[in-house]
Amino acid sequence: HVQLVESGGGSVQAGGSLRLTCVISGDSFSRNCKGWFRQAPGKEREGVAAIASGGLITYYGGDSMKGRFTLSQEIAKKEMYLQMNNLKPEDTAMYYCGSWRCGMNPYSDADWGQGTQVTVS
């Protein structure tokens, strides 16, 4: 059973930075696809970035997040990170990390953490 625990959220002013961390237990860290998603109040959960089992990283969100967010991982620690720079008020959301079988739809297949709140003012 996979367990995910996010940390690193908080309240920052516009233009600030945060680094989110997701610790993933279990033996599926390397073979699963993993990613960061976010959900703002009243909105659907949306993808931020994902990494495939082979290490290919895909960023979502188009121009709204382009160049500001960076996903990385440290396999030995079973940790995944999201570096967020130049944060904007519209980035305010609960951020979740997820782990799912590659090729499957993460929205239906993923295990999720409890989320970490990011608030940008």
Side-chain angles (χ1 to χ4, degrees), residues 44 54 59 91 101 111 115 117:
E44 295 185 350
Y59 292 96
D91 295 319
R101 294 170 292 174
D111 291 300
Q117 178 68 39

Side-chain angles (χ1 to χ4, degrees), residues 35-48:
W36 289 97
F37 295 72
R38 69 184 186 183
Q39 188 166 17
K43 294 187 177 181
E44 295 185 350
R45 189 170 298 191
E46 63 175 350
V48 176

Side-chain angles (χ1 to χ4, degrees), residues 94-116:
M94 186 72 80
Y95 283 71
Y96 299 90
C97 63
S99 173
W100 65 94
R101 294 170 292 174
C102 294
M104 302 297 287
N105 184 336
Y107 292 96
S108 57
D109 191 70
D111 291 300
W112 301 99
Q114 82 288 350
T116 186

Side-chain angles (χ1 to χ4, degrees), residues 46-62:
E46 63 175 350
V48 176
I51 183 167
S53 55
L56 177 66
I57 297 173
T58 301
Y59 292 96
Y60 303 102

Side-chain angles (χ1 to χ4, degrees), residues 62-94:
D63 291 341
S64 66
M65 300 183 223
K66 186 177 182 180
R68 299 189 296 120
F69 292 179
T70 303
L71 183 154
S72 62
Q73 66 176 358
E74 189 163 350
I75 296 174
K77 291 186 176 180
K78 293 187 178 180
E79 294 183 355
M80 180 176 64
Y81 312 102
L82 184 68
Q83 178 67 43
M84 304 186 294
N85 298 326
N86 190 23
L87 283 162
K88 303 177 180 181
E90 52 263 42
D91 295 319
T92 295
M94 186 72 80

Side-chain angles (χ1 to χ4, degrees), residues 2 24-34 78 99 111:
V2 178
I24 305 176
S25 66
D27 60 0
S28 62
F29 185 90
S30 293
R31 69 171 181 267
N32 269 19
C33 286
K34 306 175 291 292
K78 293 187 178 180
S99 173
D111 291 300

